[in-house]
Amino acid sequence: VATSSTMTRVRKSPRRRSDGIFTSTTSQAATPGRRADPALAADALTIPPCPLTPRELETLRLAGDGVPVAVIARQTHLSAGTVRNYLALAVQKLGTTTRAEARRIARDNGWL
């Protein structure tokens, strides 16, 4: 038997903000007792989208601490030239001049 204390889901129609974005006016979470941390939710909405492909991220992750291209190529089953291309694309897309700087930017943005 459902009582009013166990039925905490409240649904209302969405509203449009002045900037045209729809927002939910739900006053309570769908699951009783579970709430999203506002700071975590804000971070998730403000993290910029990653411009790198999964392979570029993988090679950039493996390129830490001066790991040679040949080692990364063996680990990823790619040719050394392909690894160099992925690393060069990652550096270019992130607007840096070095792999270390590209890794730092990717790590700081939560992509690695």
Side-chain angles (χ1 to χ4, degrees):
V1 176
T3 64
S4 61
S5 64
T6 61
M7 297 178 61
T8 59
R9 183 186 242 179
V10 176
R11 293 246 182 226
K12 294 182 181 177
S13 62
R15 294 186 181 202
R16 185 185 297 245
R17 295 188 332 199
S18 61
D19 58 4
I21 296 175
F22 282 99
T23 60
S24 172
T25 57
T26 302
S27 62
Q28 296 177 344
T31 305
R34 281 184 89 176
R35 302 280 192 288
D37 177 21
L40 183 61
D43 286 346
L45 294 173
T46 58
I47 293 176
C50 181
L52 305 178
T53 66
R55 276 295 201 179
E56 291 164 351
L57 281 171
E58 180 185 17
T59 54
L60 195 57
R61 184 179 300 112
L62 294 172
D65 302 325
V67 176
V69 169
V71 172
I72 299 169
R74 279 194 302 275
Q75 290 176 338
T76 56
H77 305 287
L78 298 170
S79 72
T82 300
V83 170
R84 278 192 296 274
N85 287 341
Y86 282 139
L87 291 171
L89 284 169
V91 167
Q92 179 185 11
K93 286 180 180 180
L94 296 178
T96 65
T97 56
T98 65
R99 295 177 191 170
E101 191 177 355
R103 273 183 51 92
R104 183 191 54 76
I105 288 173
R107 189 178 53 250
D108 291 350
N109 283 298
W111 303 327
L112 286 182

